[in-house]
Amino acid sequence: MKITPVRKIGPVSTPVHPDAFRSGKGTRMVDLLTGVVAIAVSGALGVAGERAARRRKRAFWDHYGTYEGFRRQVDEDKVRAVRGARGDVAAIKAVRGDHPLASLVVAKRYVQEL
């Protein structure tokens, strides 16, 4: 009589075929293709993200010219009021809400310099 290996899954033991844990050529090919697809998708998303960031940065500088140009257009009293009532994060969100071309870094810098 042949004994079937048992794999314990939780409180119940389930008989498992002896070849179930062997890796065949087909599974290696699937793993390779999955890896290649994952790397390609990651690379494409990285390139698209970099392009979008460059485009946003260019749009900011085209619109405001300089950081000082940006500072002149922000309603300082409104940002101070939001900062005093709800904190820095809410003030940064208010700046970005009023000036969508401003990056998170620029908005944070503005709020910190108040």
Side-chain angles (χ1 to χ4, degrees), residues 2-3 12-13 21 27 34-35 40 47 52 54-55 58-59 61 64-65 69 71 82 91 93 95 105 110:
K2 188 174 180 181
I3 298 175
V12 179
S13 298
F21 299 109
T27 58
T34 303
V47 168
R54 261 188 267 124
R55 203 171 324 141
R58 191 172 335 123
W61 295 113
Y64 297 111
R71 283 183 64 98
V82 171
K93 285 183 179 181
V95 170
V105 174
Y110 178 80

Side-chain angles (χ1 to χ4, degrees), residues 16-27:
V16 178
H17 190 274
D19 293 337
F21 299 109
R22 292 190 185 157
S23 179
K25 288 183 181 180
T27 58

Side-chain angles (χ1 to χ4, degrees), residues 13-72:
S13 298
T14 308
V16 178
H17 190 274
D19 293 337
F21 299 109
R22 292 190 185 157
S23 179
K25 288 183 181 180
T27 58
R28 281 188 239 142
M29 181 61 81
V30 170
D31 291 345
L32 177 67
L33 290 174
T34 303
V36 168
V37 168
I39 289 171
V41 168
S42 297
L45 290 175
V47 168
E50 286 294 318
R51 275 189 176 163
R54 261 188 267 124
R55 203 171 324 141
R56 277 192 307 272
K57 193 173 188 178
R58 191 172 335 123
F60 174 83
W61 295 113
D62 289 346
H63 185 73
Y64 297 111
T66 63
Y67 177 73
E68 290 304 317
F70 166 72
R71 283 183 64 98
R72 284 191 295 271

Side-chain angles (χ1 to χ4, degrees), residues 75-97:
D75 183 4
E76 185 176 331
D77 295 331
K78 177 184 175 187
V79 175
R80 282 186 193 274
V82 171
R83 183 181 185 191
R86 296 184 295 167
D88 286 353
V89 174
I92 292 169
K93 285 183 179 181
V95 170
R96 292 195 74 201

